[in-house]
């Protein structure tokens, strides 16, 4: 299909993200990136699991005493809800409704910012009580794992915000539809990674 072709809701492809070869190539590239990123996170998870019992030097913090499960649960709900709103955005994309895409992607960004604010608050609290990045192998592993995920959240927020701003006056076309879809897939990926972090770091740390 022609990237510059004019569409109506009736002529808009059912799967616009795959309607062109360029769009398909973007998705293939994204899947390759996510596969490599999965390997990266797996190695950091393994490092955390190996070092989580190496408590901070000079302090007696344990994961059970340190982590605040209610806060982590709220963060999880914010991120999972943001994943749902990005699904709504893709629903509107496939129905050729850019206003719906912009609205729900905007809500996704707001929820992501809420998650990020709570994570920064958590980090500041830990540093304030003496649990800093260089305190021990345990603290280094924790901040590396959770902080690396936070960096991915920031990248996702910048990516989605940039797409919304750049395409605000253009609407949907076969050139930007794959970009929105790729950003949504990336956001789902970091949500899935957080579910593992919540389970392995917080839930198993407090309960186990």
């Amino acid at each position: 299909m022609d990237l510059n072709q004019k569409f109506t809701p009736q002529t808009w492809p059912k799967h616009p993200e795959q309607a062109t070869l360029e769009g398909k190539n973007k998705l293939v590239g994204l899947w390759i990136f996510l596969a490599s990123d999965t390997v990266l996170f797996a190695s950091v998870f393994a490092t955390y699991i190996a070092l989580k019992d190496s408590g901070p030097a000079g302090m007696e913090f344990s994961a059970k005493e340190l982590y605040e499960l209610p806060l982590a649960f709220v963060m999880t709900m914010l991120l999972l809800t943001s994943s749902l709103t990005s699904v709504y955005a893709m629903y509107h994309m496939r129905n050729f409704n850019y206003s719906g895409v912009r609205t729900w992607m905007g809500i996704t960004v707001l929820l992501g910012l809420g998650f990020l604010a709570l994570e920064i608050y958590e980090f500041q609290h830990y540093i304030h009580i003496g649990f800093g990045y260089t305190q021990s192998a345990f603290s280094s592993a924790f901040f590396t794992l959770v902080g690396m995920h936070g960096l991915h959240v920031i990248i996702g927020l910048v990516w989605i915000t940039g797409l919304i701003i750049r395409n605000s006056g253009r609407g949907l076309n076969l050139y930007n539809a794959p970009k929105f879809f790729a950003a949504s897939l990336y956001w789902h990926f970091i949500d899935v990674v957080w579910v593992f972090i919540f389970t392995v770091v917080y839930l198993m740390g407090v309960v186990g």
Side-chain angles (χ1 to χ4, degrees), residues 1 5-17 91-97 171-178:
M1 290 188 178
Q5 182 179 346
K6 301 298 182 181
F7 291 95
T8 66
Q10 290 73 33
T11 60
W12 183 243
K14 184 177 180 181
H15 297 284
E17 70 280 359
Y91 168 81
H92 287 292
M93 184 194 74
R94 288 176 171 170
N95 285 277
F96 200 60
N97 179 5
L172 286 170
N173 54 53
L174 294 182
Y175 179 72
N176 59 31

Side-chain angles (χ1 to χ4, degrees), residues 137-208:
F138 169 40
S139 64
S140 296
F142 168 81
F143 280 104
T144 298
L145 174 57
V146 181
M148 188 170 71
H149 176 268
L151 176 61
H152 280 69
V153 171
I154 293 173
I155 293 172
L157 292 175
V158 172
W159 185 359
I160 295 172
T161 303
L163 284 175
I164 294 173
I165 295 173
R166 180 176 174 80
N167 296 287
S168 59
R170 301 179 180 180
L172 286 170
N173 54 53
L174 294 182
Y175 179 72
N176 59 31
K179 294 184 177 182
F180 280 107
F181 188 79
S184 179
L185 279 180
Y186 174 84
W187 195 256
H188 290 314
F189 171 76
I190 59 179
D191 289 352
V192 170
V193 171
W194 178 257
V195 170
F196 279 96
I197 291 177
F198 176 74
T199 304
V200 174
V201 176
Y202 295 95
L203 195 59
M204 291 178 62
V206 173
V207 177

Side-chain angles (χ1 to χ4, degrees), residues 44 48 66-67 119-120 122-128 130-151 201:
V44 180
Y48 172 82
L66 184 68
Y67 298 144
E119 187 166 84
I120 292 172
E122 180 189 37
F123 282 6
Q124 289 179 332
H125 170 68
Y126 291 156
I127 294 171
H128 177 73
F131 187 71
Y133 183 82
T134 59
Q135 189 70 29
S136 70
F138 169 40
S139 64
S140 296
F142 168 81
F143 280 104
T144 298
L145 174 57
V146 181
M148 188 170 71
H149 176 268
L151 176 61
V201 176

